[in-house]
Amino acid sequence: MDDNNSNPDAGSTGKAVPFPATEFFDGLPEPDLLAFATAAEKKHYAKGDYIFAQENNATHFYIVISGWVRLYRTTPDGQEATAGVLTTGAVIGENAVFENAYQYSAQAIEAAEVSAIPVSLFRERMAQSPNLMLRVTQELARKLESAQLQIEHSTLKSALQRVGCLLLRLSANITGAGGAFNFPYDKKIAAQQLGMQRETFSRGLSGLRPVGVTVKGSEIGVDNFQRLTDYVCKGCSAYPDKCPGPRVDASGRKMPLYKKLYFFVGGVLCDTYGGLLQIF
Amino acid sequence: MDDNNSNPDAGSTGKAVPFPATEFFDGLPEPDLLAFATAAEKKHYAKGDYIFAQENNATHFYIVISGWVRLYRTTPDGQEATAGVLTTGAVIGENAVFENAYQYSAQAIEAAEVSAIPVSLFRERMAQSPNLMLRVTQELARKLESAQLQIEHSTLKSALQRVGCLLLRLSANITGAGGAFNFPYDKKIAAQQLGMQRETFSRGLSGLRPVGVTVKGSEIGVDNFQRLTDYVCKGCSAYPDKCPGPRVDASGRKMPLYKKLYFFVGGVLCDTYGGLLQIF
């Protein structure tokens, strides 16, 4: 049993359903996709329910269909360290494919639907499609890049920029020049996610007013996303295809975050977005 | 060409040599090991030399034989974010196995020897030994755990505890009750590694005097490792087998960091080191 919920309705299973579009399954051979879609169980969790707990026996991995899920670790003295806040399309518990126990607790912080896929099936298909392991590898690489970026931001960026970065990620699907959205989960968790106090987070939100951010309760307004991007993404080392929340234009294309700049690495002139220009 | 060094002696190649013991290759079939050992090139780098630069074409991955290597990213405005400081047995550039470009710059911060293994060979052997990809996956999982732990520490631990954690990692091979060692690389880089200012790092070192740490130039003395461990590791969520620097006893066994404690996750009583005790 991998569900540990006090809510008796939590984790109730429905009939097999496909999972949402995710890079994890994108382009896999039909037979693999069909096998996963058939075995996948849709589960519903109420706000506060646990999908799995740290150190539980790892039997499934999960694709988030909707809602918000927090991954966190509990320290021996009972403190919680938030490792990620994830939504539609995110893969959680993927370490179950090669380890026996979950590394984190996964809690629905708003009502959530997830698709549960048995790791036993994944391992079985992997024997025939070795490149399935590549999916897990790429998923871990994505999460590593995201964690390293968080470390970079906590070292090099101001609290205001880190709050602004989260706002850009939460609004990445808005295609207009500006727009408004409801902050989708508890701001206390957002503060934990950014490794700051709740008060610092609130001050960060109001401090972004000069770059066009307004806050009315849970509604966040952004006058001009490009203006906020210019302020927030200045000096971030993420490329558009690695940024956890790049703006997307009306055609769904990921847009550059910030103007291209040039820098030296070991006598080599490089540009921001990857080109090696000249060796001196 | 993946070496970009101003030093003309940098990256000079020697004859094929085996690589140091590392979990990455541990227990692989003989034919794979032999193929890697035959293709591996030993390379020497002087302090300051680059092994590879961020966004270079990724042709090799590397095992550190000796010395110290810093991984870092450069932001568009020229700031550096240190992603890791690694020594003997560490794998670097492993993303080359599934991506075209290095994600980081790798710089020798002290004279270093590394073993360079062509990714083309790795991919070729992988076609016959699919579980080779599992090694890359586990390596990424280790690095992800380490990054998440760094995020946890920056949120939940004091600067003193973070400095003490680094001292414990750097002295993990000392088996006595106490001991002394030379800080093996520039303390400025150690400060970057922990995401703090150089001055905060120095204050951290002197602030650890009450728990038996003494500093004379580059020599660090620790009266009693258990006493430092009790202070530093209190409340850390890492298990001994996941800690990046657990103390090792005279027989080479990894020792528990801190006394076992109990905590609740979703109505389940768990202990610090993984047991699920009872469901309420």
Side-chain angles (χ1 to χ4, degrees):
Chain A
M1 169 181 144
D2 67 298
D3 300 315
N4 302 288
N5 299 291
S6 45
N7 178 344
D9 292 333
S12 61
T13 62
K15 59 175 184 167
V17 289
F19 21 76
T22 162
E23 283 186 69
F24 193 78
F25 286 129
D26 194 33
L28 278 188
E30 276 296 322
D32 288 330
L33 280 177
L34 192 63
F36 293 130
T38 306
E41 275 189 290
K42 191 175 182 175
K43 296 187 171 201
H44 304 265
Y45 296 89
K47 182 174 175 171
D49 286 340
Y50 283 85
I51 300 164
F52 54 80
Q54 183 180 337
E55 291 306 315
N56 273 187
N57 189 24
T59 56
H60 293 72
F61 67 100
Y62 301 82
I63 314 287
V64 182
I65 299 171
S66 66
W68 290 89
V69 175
R70 175 171 75 116
L71 296 183
Y72 72 93
R73 287 175 69 87
T74 307
T75 67
D77 54 351
Q79 295 189 87
E80 292 175 0
T82 295
V85 176
L86 305 164
T87 189
T88 308
V91 181
I92 59 178
E94 71 285 342
N95 78 302
V97 170
F98 58 95
E99 287 186 312
N100 294 325
Y102 293 114
Q103 294 296 301
Y104 301 97
S105 296
Q107 182 185 30
I109 53 170
E110 293 294 331
E113 283 188 317
V114 304
S115 187
I117 297 159
V119 285
S120 54
L121 174 70
F122 192 91
R123 291 200 190 108
E124 191 183 295
R125 304 296 307 184
M126 211 159 57
Q128 295 141 50
S129 305
N131 85 349
L132 273 180
M133 179 53 83
L134 183 61
R135 301 304 169 115
V136 178
T137 306
Q138 289 170 326
E139 182 59 29
L140 285 167
R142 265 194 293 272
K143 287 188 174 157
L144 176 59
E145 281 157 14
S146 174
Q148 295 286 18
L149 198 63
Q150 190 177 341
I151 292 168
E152 175 189 314
H153 284 188
S154 70
T155 307
L156 302 179
K157 284 197 179 294
S158 69
L160 260 66
Q161 283 178 310
R162 288 155 66 201
V163 172
C165 175
L166 180 60
L167 298 185
L168 285 171
R169 280 182 271 155
L170 293 174
S171 63
N173 63 335
I174 302 178
T175 53
F181 63 99
N182 281 310
F183 202 92
Y185 50 87
D186 191 334
K187 288 176 191 163
K188 185 177 150 199
I189 288 170
Q192 281 176 7
Q193 180 184 1
L194 300 178
M196 56 179 67
Q197 299 298 317
R198 176 70 179 83
E199 296 71 31
T200 313
F201 184 79
S202 294
R203 278 199 302 271
L205 278 179
S206 39
L208 288 169
R209 189 166 309 174
V211 285
V213 173
T214 47
V215 183
K216 280 184 203 161
S218 70
E219 193 187 283
I220 310 284
V222 179
D223 278 357
N224 184 308
F225 289 118
Q226 191 55 51
R227 189 172 164 208
L228 183 59
T229 301
D230 287 346
Y231 175 73
V232 164
C233 304
K234 184 177 175 173
C236 174
S237 76
Y239 306 110
D241 64 329
K242 304 284 185 182
C243 169
R247 302 231 63 81
V248 169
D249 69 13
S251 66
R253 198 169 46 96
K254 290 179 178 177
M255 295 162 71
L257 295 164
Y258 193 65
K259 60 180 179 293
K260 195 182 248 195
L261 288 173
Y262 303 95
F263 59 95
F264 281 91
V265 176
V268 181
L269 184 64
C270 302
D271 67 40
T272 319
Y273 296 126
L276 179 156
L277 299 178
Q278 200 174 345
I279 298 172
F280 289 84
Chain B
M1 169 181 145
D2 66 300
D3 301 316
N4 302 289
N5 300 292
S6 45
N7 178 342
D9 292 333
S12 61
T13 63
K15 60 176 183 165
V17 289
F19 20 76
T22 162
E23 283 186 68
F24 192 78
F25 286 128
D26 194 34
L28 277 188
E30 276 297 324
D32 288 330
L33 280 176
L34 191 64
F36 293 130
T38 305
E41 275 190 289
K42 190 175 181 175
K43 295 188 171 202
H44 304 266
Y45 296 89
K47 182 174 175 170
D49 286 341
Y50 284 84
I51 300 165
F52 54 80
Q54 183 181 338
E55 293 306 316
N56 273 187
N57 189 25
T59 57
H60 294 72
F61 68 99
Y62 301 83
I63 314 287
V64 182
I65 299 171
S66 66
W68 289 89
V69 175
R70 176 171 75 115
L71 296 183
Y72 71 93
R73 287 176 69 88
T74 307
T75 67
D77 55 352
Q79 295 189 85
E80 293 176 359
T82 294
V85 176
L86 304 165
T87 189
T88 307
V91 181
I92 59 177
E94 72 284 342
N95 79 302
V97 170
F98 58 95
E99 285 186 314
N100 294 325
Y102 294 114
Q103 294 296 302
Y104 302 98
S105 296
Q107 183 185 28
I109 53 170
E110 293 294 331
E113 283 188 316
V114 304
S115 188
I117 297 160
V119 285
S120 55
L121 174 70
F122 192 91
R123 291 200 191 108
E124 193 183 294
R125 305 295 308 184
M126 212 160 57
Q128 295 141 49
S129 303
N131 86 348
L132 273 180
M133 179 53 84
L134 183 62
R135 301 303 168 116
V136 178
T137 306
Q138 288 170 326
E139 182 59 29
L140 286 167
R142 267 195 291 273
K143 287 187 175 157
L144 177 58
E145 281 157 14
S146 173
Q148 294 285 19
L149 197 62
Q150 189 177 342
I151 292 168
E152 176 189 314
H153 285 189
S154 69
T155 307
L156 302 180
K157 285 198 178 293
S158 69
L160 260 67
Q161 284 178 310
R162 287 155 66 200
V163 171
C165 174
L166 180 60
L167 298 185
L168 286 171
R169 279 182 270 155
L170 293 174
S171 63
N173 63 334
I174 303 179
T175 53
F181 63 99
N182 281 309
F183 203 92
Y185 50 87
D186 191 334
K187 288 175 191 163
K188 186 178 150 200
I189 288 170
Q192 280 176 8
Q193 180 184 1
L194 300 178
M196 56 179 67
Q197 299 298 316
R198 177 69 179 84
E199 297 69 33
T200 313
F201 184 80
S202 295
R203 279 198 302 271
L205 278 179
S206 39
L208 289 169
R209 189 166 309 176
V211 285
V213 173
T214 49
V215 183
K216 281 183 202 162
S218 71
E219 193 187 281
I220 309 285
V222 179
D223 279 357
N224 185 308
F225 288 118
Q226 191 55 49
R227 189 172 164 210
L228 184 58
T229 301
D230 286 347
Y231 175 72
V232 164
C233 305
K234 185 178 173 172
C236 175
S237 76
Y239 307 110
D241 64 329
K242 304 285 187 181
C243 169
R247 303 231 63 81
V248 169
D249 68 15
S251 66
R253 198 168 47 96
K254 290 179 178 177
M255 296 162 70
L257 295 165
Y258 193 65
K259 62 181 179 293
K260 195 181 247 194
L261 289 173
Y262 302 96
F263 59 96
F264 282 91
V265 175
V268 181
L269 184 63
C270 302
D271 66 42
T272 319
Y273 296 125
L276 179 154
L277 301 178
Q278 200 175 346
I279 299 173
F280 290 82

